[in-house]
Amino acid sequence: MNENAPSSFATYDDFTQLNLRVGRIVEVQPFPKARNPSWKVRVELGELGEKWSSAQITNYAAAELVGSLVICVCNFAPRNIAGFLSEVLILGAPDAQDRVILLSPRKDPAGNDIVAPGANVY
């Protein structure tokens, strides 16, 4: 048996329960109270408005993050992280150095955004 195989499988119905949206980072603040190095990140999500996230993405400079499009899980229950209410989960994947690399929609050949904040992700 493959040691990386999941112990149980999610169904398509499980996946459809997630509210995945494109968001635009509009503000980044230091988060010195966090146990692990993190930013407080405000994300604009179209019709859902603006939501905050605690994100362990300090390998990015704050100024580098502002304006970036990201993929967010918008329907997890809010979590209290060191006294801060994190309302959405910003998605990323680790690189070879175990730094979180943000998942982001592609841009057109001229470098312009193709999708707008609030777009559903399927």
Side-chain angles (χ1 to χ4, degrees):
M1 178 171 206
N2 181 345
E3 64 187 45
N4 294 322
S7 59
S8 65
F9 291 94
T11 66
Y12 182 77
D13 287 339
D14 293 332
F15 174 76
T16 63
Q17 295 301 306
L18 295 175
N19 185 355
L20 300 172
R21 299 286 183 116
V22 174
R24 184 179 308 281
I25 295 176
V26 294
E27 183 178 356
V28 178
Q29 297 179 0
F31 193 8
K33 291 183 180 180
R35 185 176 350 155
N36 298 311
S38 302
W39 294 116
K40 293 179 182 178
V41 181
R42 185 165 51 101
V43 182
E44 196 271 307
L45 293 155
E47 66 188 28
L48 299 180
E50 294 181 349
K51 306 283 184 184
W52 283 93
S53 180
S54 170
Q56 295 179 23
I57 52 173
T58 56
N59 51 293
Y60 294 96
E64 180 183 7
L65 290 168
V66 173
S68 297
L69 290 180
V70 292
I71 307 299
C72 301
V73 178
C74 297
N75 63 334
F76 283 155
R79 293 188 62 186
N80 184 328
I81 300 173
F84 173 74
L85 192 63
S86 185
E87 301 170 294
V88 296
L89 176 67
I90 298 172
L91 299 180
D95 68 6
Q97 290 77 40
D98 210 30
R99 298 173 299 195
V100 176
I101 304 304
L102 293 172
L103 300 185
S104 182
R106 291 182 176 213
K107 296 181 179 284
D108 71 15
N112 300 308
D113 293 332
I114 298 171
V115 297
N120 286 303
V121 177
Y122 307 106

